[in-house]
């Protein structure tokens, strides 16, 4: 099975970086959105294993997007990425329904988290 990742990130430079590191790791980027509202419309057709979600999005933030995707019974694993201190948002992210939360600052940790999700609940 292909490891399909959908990226929800409003900054183009971060989307480029994610595409680059995911591609080098053998993961397929199956779609992108720059806002939570846009993501809600695009994710169902993309059928990702994992949705990589920026916590700070314009309009609907990443936490609210996670809540909405869980309400819609999305089968994808939901990974929150933040440039803020992870511990500050960990509880709220998990309470909303996120499967994991990680920092944007270390691509090795991001890839380890994605690999762990892909080998576990996101197969």
């Amino acid at each position: 099975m292909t490891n399909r990742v959908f990226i929800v990130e409003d900054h183009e430079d971060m989307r480029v970086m994610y595409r680059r590191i995911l591609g080098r790791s053998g993961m397929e980027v199956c779609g992108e959105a720059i806002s939570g509202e846009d993501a809600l419309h695009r994710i169902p057709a993309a059928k990702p294993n994992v949705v990589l979600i920026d916590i700070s999005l314009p309009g609907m933030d990443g936490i609210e997007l996670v809540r909405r995707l869980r309400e819609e019974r999305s089968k994808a694993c939901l990974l929150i990425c933040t440039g803020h201190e992870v511990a500050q948002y960990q509880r709220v992210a998990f309470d909303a329904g996120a499967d994991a939360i990680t920092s944007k600052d270390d691509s090795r940790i991001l890839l380890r988290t994605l690999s762990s999700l892909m080998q576990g609940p996101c197969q």
Side-chain angles (χ1 to χ4, degrees), residues 27 77 110-123:
M27 296 181 198
C77 283
L110 172 65
L111 286 173
R112 245 183 284 145
T113 304
L114 278 167
S115 293
S116 176
L117 288 171
M118 295 288 189
Q119 293 171 11
C122 303
Q123 296 180 15

Side-chain angles (χ1 to χ4, degrees), residues 65-119:
L65 176 58
V66 167
R67 281 191 192 101
R68 296 277 298 275
L69 288 168
R70 287 297 177 229
E71 286 173 4
E72 293 181 7
R73 305 274 192 245
S74 174
K75 293 182 180 178
C77 283
L78 306 177
L79 171 59
I80 293 278
C81 290
T82 181
H84 307 285
E85 179 63 38
V86 170
Q88 179 181 353
Y89 292 98
Q90 201 162 16
R91 173 124 181 142
V92 71
F94 288 127
D95 286 349
D99 294 287
I101 181 170
T102 192
S103 173
K104 290 181 175 185
D105 299 333
D106 190 332
S107 61
R108 292 170 297 163
I109 292 173
L110 172 65
L111 286 173
R112 245 183 284 145
T113 304
L114 278 167
S115 293
S116 176
L117 288 171
M118 295 288 189
Q119 293 171 11

Side-chain angles (χ1 to χ4, degrees), residues 11-88:
H11 292 100
E12 174 67 23
D13 56 334
M14 289 302 298
R15 289 193 310 274
V16 168
M17 183 202 67
Y18 289 146
R19 284 193 303 266
R20 188 176 308 128
I21 65 173
L22 294 172
R24 277 188 259 164
S25 299
M27 296 181 198
E28 174 190 347
V29 175
C30 63
E32 298 179 14
I34 61 171
S35 71
E37 294 84 359
D38 190 30
L40 286 173
H41 296 290
R42 294 175 183 241
I43 289 170
K47 296 183 177 24
N49 300 85
V50 176
V51 181
L52 191 154
I53 303 168
D54 180 20
I55 201 166
S56 299
L57 295 167
M60 180 190 313
D61 68 12
I63 299 296
E64 182 59 26
L65 176 58
V66 167
R67 281 191 192 101
R68 296 277 298 275
L69 288 168
R70 287 297 177 229
E71 286 173 4
E72 293 181 7
R73 305 274 192 245
S74 174
K75 293 182 180 178
C77 283
L78 306 177
L79 171 59
I80 293 278
C81 290
T82 181
H84 307 285
E85 179 63 38
V86 170
Q88 179 181 353

